[in-house]
Structures are given as structure tokens and as C-alpha cells.
Amino acid sequence: MAIRKHKNDTNKWIIDYYPEGRKGKRCRLTFDGTEAEARDAEMELRRMHISTGSRTNPPINRILPEYLEWMKIHRAERTYRDFCYSLKWIEPHFGPLPVSRITPEVFNRFKAARGKVPRAINKEIDYLKGLINWMVRNGYTEPLPFKPEKVPYSRPLPKIPHPDEVEALLDEIKDPLKLAMTILMFEGGTRFTETANIRWEDINWSGGIILMRNKTKRMKQRVVIMPDRAAEILGPIKQPSGYVFVNPKTEKPYQSLKTLFAGACRRAGIQRISPHKLRHAFATYLLESAGDLRLVQMALGHSDISTTQIYTQIAVSNLRDAVKNSTNRLKNTKNRQNLDHTGQT
């Protein structure tokens, strides 16, 4: 677009614009008014150009700024940051193309260039699909006429810490607030970020529950049972409002406990436990105890039960290990009995 003075009338301005993009037909508007008003009119035409032009299947790059603004509002901060990071690989391959020109071959070239990182590739394909679906919902393009094929990937089962290891970790955490956070993740199944952003007004003390509504995945609210050990720590210091777990150095919610966990695990003489492994442990032991997958799904706040089903595999794996250990103990006992019997004869 361009704006310039009218040759014959100093009170008029010429605005050139391309409703269908640079390769389309040029339109010319004569505007009567001040330069500032003419520039305002040009900006309005630009917005109209983005809207109408996008409906003629624009390159994805043109839509990205608007989509990023939408993500800031409608997606979790961590998801937004991860999407921005993934653009490093998505944009060079798909950014210059309109959706109509994205073919299976384009996806195959992307996969080949990306290398042997199947989990990352599949995540980036999901991000791109989310962007395209958003464009379709907003009338910017037609859907892809095919389903993008993902790279074969078998997600490894999370390594679940034994309850004794978790208790050893808890014994090494001396700060009461950090200890309460850790208990919440292990006995309540909360994620670190949503735990750090619990507010006092979200706790129902009489009901023994916490309403998780801040920094939750996909902004989805859920109820978490307050663990007794966490309530014993937090009850005496409860406040009417504000964040519960405030870092005294920053006066903001804690951003990480990785250093704390690393030191506590080292002192306890156990393998490294991350905050998210505590959530995995909560889900696994709840499933083994209750035997109800729907209950675990509700406790974790999963939208899709297929996400929760991974804990069925972990429970079966734990059962297999327990049976194997039991069998080995029986074999060892039998061997000792045989030796004793041989010695007696």
C-alpha cells in the first residue's frame, strides 16, 4: 500500500492498495481530508486487506501475528512459549505457503529436514494443525484435504519413583512452603506451575479441597483434594487472599524447584526426581489403589481418557516387576531349601 498527495488538489490524497495481494488487481482511492486522516484510512484498508485477503488463502506467515495474539489469550503461557520456539522449524517450511499448497510431499520434506526427532516432529505437526484449524474456523482458508501422517513413535513409560524414595525426598526439604508444594504434587497430582499459582481464596478449608484455576493446562478448572500433610503446614499460616507459595526474594510465585530437588535427592542418596514425576507417581498409585481409570482422569484433569491410559501400562509394568521379583524370591528360597536338604543327607 502507498499514500501520496493528489497532483491537483492539496486537500486530497491517493491511496493505492491490493485487495487480492500484490499479484492481484490494484485499486486506487482518492481521499479527501488531512494527511493524518488519510493515514488512518490507509490503516483501515490494511486491516480490511488482511481480512479479505486472508480469505483468498494467504501464506501462513501473514496470519501468524494474529494467531500469536490469539494464543496469548486462549492458551497457557507455557504452550504459547513452546509454540513460538517450534516456529523455528515450522515457519521455514510452511510459512511462505498458503494452506492450499501444503501437500503430503511438503510434510515429508519437513520430516526429512527435521531429522530423527520423532516426538518433536509430531508435536510440531500438531501445532501446525492447530493453526490451520484456527484459520478454517475464522474463514481464512479451506481445511487440508488429507490427514497429515505422523512419524512412528513409541512414547517411553515414565519412570515412577517408589513411595520410599519420595518420602526420603520429603525428609530433605526443610522449607515448609516448598515441602507443602511437594506434598501437593505427590498426594494431589498437581502440576508444578498450577501448584505455584494457587491462591488462598482458592482453598475451601471446610471441604478440604482446592479449586485449580490458575495456570492450568488449557485453562481448565478442576478440584483437587487437599492432602492432610499439606493442610497441617498451610492451615496455621492461612491468609484471606493472595498467592500461597510466594518466593520471598521476588515476592512472586516460585518459578522452579529443580535446584531444590536436585540437592534433596543427592542428600537422600536416591535417583533424581523431578516435580512432574511426582504427578506420575500420584496417578500410578491412585490407579493401583482404586482400579478406576475414570477416577484418575478426573483427578488429573485430563480431557481425553486416552492420555490417562498410559498409567494402565505403568501399573501393568509394576505388576510384572512385582511378579518377577516374587518369583525370584521363591526360586532363591527353594534353592536354599535344596541346599540345606542336600547338606543334611
Side-chain angles (χ1 to χ4, degrees):
M1 290 189 185
I3 177 173
R4 65 182 186 278
K5 287 184 178 181
H6 194 283
K7 289 183 178 180
N8 302 320
D9 192 333
T10 56
N11 293 323
K12 293 182 179 181
W13 302 83
I14 303 296
I15 302 175
D16 291 331
Y17 63 102
Y18 301 82
E20 299 177 3
R22 279 290 175 184
K23 295 184 179 180
K25 182 181 178 181
R26 181 183 66 178
C27 293
R28 178 165 291 173
L29 172 69
T30 302
F31 181 83
D32 191 356
T34 64
E35 181 178 0
E37 291 171 337
R39 296 200 178 279
D40 287 342
E42 182 197 23
M43 290 303 299
E44 183 61 29
L45 285 170
R46 284 181 183 273
R47 286 190 287 269
M48 290 173 60
H49 166 65
I50 291 173
S51 177
T52 58
S54 63
R55 297 180 192 278
T56 62
N57 202 26
I60 283 177
N61 276 343
R62 189 188 301 172
I63 300 302
L64 271 177
E66 187 179 349
Y67 182 65
L68 287 170
E69 288 298 320
W70 178 85
M71 281 199 77
K72 275 185 180 179
I73 300 171
H74 296 91
R75 291 292 179 263
E77 182 181 351
R78 182 175 177 178
T79 303
Y80 171 78
R81 291 200 310 267
D82 192 51
F83 176 80
C84 291
Y85 180 78
S86 296
L87 284 178
K88 172 180 180 180
W89 290 280
I90 296 173
E91 197 168 359
H93 290 274
F94 300 99
L97 301 176
V99 174
S100 62
R101 288 179 54 195
I102 296 178
T103 64
E105 289 72 24
V106 174
F107 275 99
N108 288 337
R109 288 196 295 270
F110 165 71
K111 296 171 193 174
R114 194 70 177 84
K116 295 182 179 181
V117 285
R119 184 180 180 185
I121 291 171
N122 292 341
K123 179 182 68 172
E124 289 149 16
I125 289 175
D126 282 336
Y127 277 145
L128 180 65
K129 286 166 58 180
L131 168 58
I132 293 173
N133 289 339
W134 178 86
M135 292 173 66
V136 172
R137 290 197 306 271
N138 287 275
Y140 292 157
T141 188
E142 293 296 318
L144 285 172
F146 62 93
K147 184 178 180 179
E149 186 177 4
K150 292 186 178 180
V151 178
Y153 173 68
S154 179
R155 181 180 178 183
L157 294 178
K159 294 182 179 179
I160 306 302
H162 190 275
D164 291 344
E165 293 178 315
V166 178
E167 292 301 326
L169 168 70
L170 294 175
D171 288 342
E172 295 296 333
I173 300 176
K174 307 306 179 184
D175 184 291
L177 282 181
K178 294 176 181 177
L179 179 60
M181 290 179 70
T182 308
I183 292 170
L184 270 167
M185 289 183 280
F186 177 53
E187 298 184 7
T190 57
R191 300 179 182 89
F192 169 77
T193 303
E194 59 192 19
T195 305
N197 285 274
I198 294 173
R199 298 182 64 87
W200 288 109
E201 53 265 40
D202 296 334
I203 302 176
N204 182 330
W205 293 100
S206 59
I209 59 175
I210 306 172
L211 176 61
M212 308 300 293
R213 58 181 176 179
N214 297 314
K215 302 292 184 178
T216 58
K217 199 169 186 178
R218 299 187 184 279
M219 310 297 186
K220 186 178 180 181
Q221 296 186 12
R222 75 178 191 283
V223 171
V224 168
I225 304 300
M226 168 72 85
D228 291 340
R229 291 196 288 180
E232 290 174 3
I233 296 172
L234 299 177
I237 60 172
K238 62 183 178 182
Q239 302 292 326
S241 63
Y243 288 109
V244 177
F245 303 109
V246 177
N247 185 335
K249 294 181 180 179
T250 63
E251 298 185 350
K252 295 179 180 180
Y254 283 100
Q255 298 297 307
S256 175
L257 292 182
K258 290 181 179 179
T259 303
L260 172 74
F261 273 42
C265 290
R266 185 178 61 255
R267 292 191 299 273
I270 58 176
Q271 290 187 346
R272 183 78 172 266
I273 298 176
S274 67
H276 204 70
K277 280 188 178 180
L278 296 178
R279 177 173 161 87
H280 289 319
F282 164 82
T284 302
Y285 298 132
L286 177 61
L287 180 59
E288 291 178 348
S289 173
D292 188 335
L293 195 62
R294 291 285 181 185
L295 182 66
V296 178
Q297 178 191 10
M298 181 176 69
L300 294 177
H302 287 163
S303 300
D304 190 343
I305 198 168
S306 64
T307 308
T308 318
Q309 285 173 341
I310 187 175
Y311 298 106
T312 303
Q313 301 175 46
I314 297 172
V316 170
S317 178
N318 288 348
L319 176 61
R320 184 182 296 111
D321 291 341
V323 170
K324 184 177 179 180
N325 292 336
S326 177
T327 303
N328 289 337
R329 283 196 297 270
L330 287 172
K331 287 180 179 178
N332 292 334
T333 301
K334 187 175 180 180
N335 289 337
R336 284 196 300 271
Q337 289 174 347
N338 289 337
L339 287 173
D340 291 342
H341 179 72
T342 302
Q344 291 174 1
T345 60

